[in-house]
Amino acid sequence: MRTSPSLRRKTISVAAVSAALFTAATATVATAQEAAAPKAAAVPTAQTEAAPGITAERLIVGYKSGATEAKSNKAAEADAAAKGKEAGEDLDFQRRLGTGAALVDLGSDLTRTDVADVVAEYKADPQVAYVVPDRLNTPQADPNDTEYAKQWDLFESTAGMNVPGAWSTTTGSGVTVAVIDTGYVAHTDLAANIVAGYDFIADTAVSVDGNGRDNNPADPGDYYAANECGSGIPASNSSWHGTHVAGTIAAVTNNSKGIAGIAYGAKISPVRVLGKCGGYDSDIIDAITWSSGGTVSGVPANTNVAKVINMSLGGDGACTTATQTAINNAVSRGTVIAVAAGNDNDNVANHSPGNCNNVISVAATNRTGAKASYSNYGSLVDISAPGGQTSTGTANGILSTLNSGATTASTENYAYYQGTSMATPHIAGLAALLKSANSSLTPAQIETAIKNNARALPGACSGGCGAGLADAAKTVAAVSGGTSTGTTFFNTTAASIPDNGSAIESSIAVTGRTGNAPSALQVAVDITHTYRGDLVVSLVAPDGTVYTLKAASSSDSADNVNTTYTVNASSETANGTWKLRVQDTAAQDTGTLNSWKLTF
């Protein structure tokens, strides 16, 4: 008898597989570069994996009703042993399932090709009705918020941002997002996630609250009369804009109330810069500085420094040096800045701060995944996210927290809005998820990860909508070190590693990608070796750049290298020939590179 599976089986964490499981129905099919045996080549990858990228360790075998193995455990056990012998593996019959199927243990450390050999043996048996992997499942993270079903922008397969698939990995905890906007009007679906902010409006004609700058970012309303904000401009009710934006990012979730926030574990620091008729650059510049941990004269130090800033605001013209300087300084302090591209159906190059450098400029898509009719566009757009389009139906907008007051605050409520102002907090929320999942990420790495893991827009966009529609689950998986939902490229051709000899190289040709590799490229390595301390393992990019994955160590006497490394390869073009280089640097021990893979 073999050792108990509970003693020898590798532990697979729920967090490592959940992101892939949530998107299993739409996951990109892995492309394999393999020199597999004929039987293995005929077995689809999905039939050899417990989850994308995780090799199955058990199979469920259904026998036809007339087969002896369908009724006799002894016969099923003998059949497993026989088929294992044919495939060159040691199989165990574990137990009979309630349906009558047999659960067969494959053991640990099998490669995809090994499992494919076993599956092929079962498939070739006319007494076998089916054979499938014993797949891993995790609890679904869909929240119980009463209005969640109306948040198509989070979960719909066509044009949603695939947010629920990220929640089992991260909810944004430990990250503060500064919403530089109209301030905050009290709302019970947000209150628990609000931390101290600041009111930066210096001009009392704009502030409406009767005073200048202070530590109270409460939104008194930004209503105005006809012609008050310029000749011919009609009257407008209060927008409660900052509260709507904040709800998309971090509304309290799983509270059996209202909506779900994208990064509902994060905190919101409301920073008020917009009042009656808008807000000035000078106030916005100070707000950017203070929110990111910089010093502003006459303003107390920020005790809730934001690693993400949301600016759903904008005006006409070029990005000024003054604004660009504030942005550059904030990014240098480690803060991501997401900004709205604007709602003029115009090139974003004509609108600031969406045309500034060092920001993530966000265009808006509608419920079909096309560019929203109002959204700005252009080569300076970095990414698209759901912004809604209420002209095709109110429910096609973005639902979030609001207030019913036409001028001053009244009762809290929820309402559908549309705009790049609504798209931007989707990206700010995603940035918070990424920073929470991997706190070492820089703003540039977060932007690169969002772009590299976007999917093509389901609908049309003329003029440029950035890298595509942001995908939360895929992006979080790519940076968290867990199982990626991106494309995986394999090489399972075994290669001997010479004892104390020259390095060997194994190649994978990557095709069909766009842009650069991700900032968290996953490199999974399976090496059998009797003294792994002898080994130096490196990844070689298509341009020849070498990334050392493992150095030699005389104190590491353990066997084998079976692990996944994370490489910041964001400076490398994704397409091309990647190589794994392995060298044994000391005598007396031998080994084999069994397989390796890259997951983008």
Side-chain angles (χ1 to χ4, degrees):
M1 294 298 291
R2 302 170 68 193
T3 305
S4 167
S6 65
L7 296 179
R8 59 182 163 75
R9 190 175 307 283
K10 295 173 292 185
T11 300
I12 302 175
S13 69
V14 170
V17 301
S18 57
L21 291 178
F22 285 122
T23 57
T26 59
T28 305
V29 177
T31 303
Q33 278 70 37
E34 300 183 12
K39 285 185 294 184
V43 176
T45 299
Q47 294 185 22
T48 67
E49 295 181 332
I54 304 296
T55 304
E57 294 186 347
R58 288 183 295 267
L59 296 175
I60 299 172
V61 181
Y63 291 95
K64 293 180 180 178
S65 58
T68 304
E69 294 86 353
K71 304 176 181 64
S72 166
N73 289 354
K74 186 175 181 179
E77 184 175 4
D79 189 44
K83 287 184 168 57
K85 184 176 180 180
E86 287 295 321
E89 305 297 340
D90 188 9
L91 308 186
D92 275 346
F93 168 78
Q94 292 292 295
R95 67 176 186 274
R96 185 77 58 179
L97 304 187
T99 58
L103 182 65
V104 176
D105 179 63
L106 302 172
S108 58
D109 299 324
L110 270 68
T111 67
R112 175 191 176 278
T113 301
D114 295 334
V115 178
D117 287 342
V118 175
V119 171
E121 288 293 334
Y122 276 107
K123 281 180 169 289
D125 186 343
Q127 296 302 312
V128 172
Y130 61 85
V131 54
V132 296
D134 188 12
R135 296 190 304 186
L136 288 160
N137 294 267
T138 60
Q140 295 290 318
D142 287 358
N144 61 19
D145 302 76
T146 56
E147 303 300 308
Y148 174 69
K150 300 175 182 178
Q151 292 183 272
W152 62 267
D153 47 308
L154 302 192
F155 60 79
E156 280 192 354
S157 59
T158 299
M161 217 174 76
N162 201 10
V163 174
W167 283 334
S168 60
T169 301
T170 176
T171 62
S173 60
V175 178
T176 296
V177 181
V179 174
I180 297 180
D181 212 292
T182 64
Y184 165 67
V185 62
H187 200 293
T188 57
D189 208 11
L190 261 175
N193 282 341
I194 298 293
V195 296
Y198 207 80
D199 180 357
F200 275 93
I201 302 178
D203 189 330
T204 55
V206 177
S207 70
V208 184
D209 61 1
N211 53 45
R213 293 182 170 183
D214 57 36
N215 62 2
N216 181 8
D219 185 350
D222 57 356
Y223 64 95
Y224 50 84
N227 303 312
E228 191 174 6
C229 294
S231 178
I233 297 179
S236 176
N237 289 339
S238 290
S239 67
W240 315 112
H241 189 274
T243 301
H244 196 280
V245 167
T248 297
I249 298 170
V252 178
T253 302
N254 284 317
N255 60 343
S256 300
K257 173 184 174 66
I259 64 166
I262 290 171
Y264 61 83
K267 300 299 182 184
I268 296 291
S269 174
V271 182
R272 188 167 181 251
V273 297
L274 302 179
K276 181 173 287 191
C277 305
Y280 288 102
D281 278 356
S282 55
D283 292 341
I284 294 169
I285 287 168
D286 280 351
I288 294 170
T289 302
W290 181 85
S291 297
S292 60
T295 300
V296 177
S297 179
V299 179
N302 185 2
T303 58
N304 296 291
V305 174
K307 289 304 177 184
V308 181
I309 286 174
N310 187 100
M311 292 201 297
S312 292
L313 49 80
D316 295 337
C319 180
T320 67
T321 301
T323 297
Q324 187 65 67
T325 299
I327 289 169
N328 291 347
N329 290 342
V331 171
S332 72
R333 287 187 282 267
T335 299
V336 179
I337 302 178
V339 301
N343 303 327
D344 309 280
N345 190 27
D346 186 25
N347 196 310
V348 70
N350 303 318
H351 304 275
S352 176
N355 56 9
C356 293
N357 295 323
N358 267 344
V359 301
I360 303 177
S361 184
V362 186
T365 52
N366 60 27
R367 198 167 181 173
T368 67
K371 183 185 86 70
S373 60
Y374 53 80
S375 177
N376 286 351
Y377 51 83
S379 61
L380 296 181
V381 169
D382 293 302
I383 195 70
S384 294
Q389 189 161 329
T390 55
S391 63
T392 60
T394 300
N396 293 334
I398 305 299
L399 185 68
S400 190
T401 45
L402 212 71
N403 192 279
S404 64
T407 55
T408 57
S410 181
T411 56
E412 65 178 46
N413 65 358
Y414 303 84
Y416 291 97
Y417 274 6
Q418 67 172 22
T420 55
S421 282
M422 284 59 256
T424 306
H426 285 77
I427 300 303
L430 174 53
L433 293 177
L434 299 177
K435 190 67 177 178
S436 177
N438 186 341
S439 62
S440 67
L441 292 175
T442 66
Q445 289 172 334
I446 287 174
E447 179 177 346
T448 297
I450 291 172
K451 290 179 178 180
N452 284 352
N453 291 284
R455 64 185 192 271
L457 287 188
C461 171
S462 59
C465 286
L469 182 63
D471 188 307
K474 185 176 177 182
T475 310
V476 166
V479 306
S480 64
T483 301
S484 172
T485 57
T487 306
T488 299
F489 297 83
F490 299 87
N491 187 327
T492 58
T493 302
S496 297
I497 305 168
D499 183 32
N500 194 22
S502 301
I504 64 166
E505 290 186 342
S506 175
S507 300
I508 289 177
V510 174
T511 60
R513 303 294 299 171
T514 58
N516 286 0
S519 59
L521 178 65
Q522 304 293 292
V523 186
V525 178
D526 180 2
I527 297 172
T528 301
H529 197 273
T530 52
Y531 193 100
R532 69 185 182 200
D534 291 354
L535 298 178
V536 176
V537 183
S538 304
L539 177 70
V540 183
D543 67 356
T545 302
V546 177
Y547 298 85
T548 299
L549 306 179
K550 178 194 174 299
S553 172
S554 60
S555 62
D556 186 1
S557 60
D559 295 340
N560 307 331
V561 179
N562 196 330
T563 190
T564 299
Y565 300 96
T566 300
V567 176
N568 180 2
S570 58
S571 63
E572 307 291 345
T573 301
N575 286 338
T577 300
W578 296 75
K579 299 177 182 178
L580 190 74
R581 180 180 294 166
V582 184
Q583 183 175 16
D584 186 318
T585 62
Q588 298 182 352
D589 293 277
T590 59
T592 303
L593 170 60
N594 301 307
S595 65
W596 69 290
K597 64 183 179 181
L598 293 171
T599 302
F600 287 79

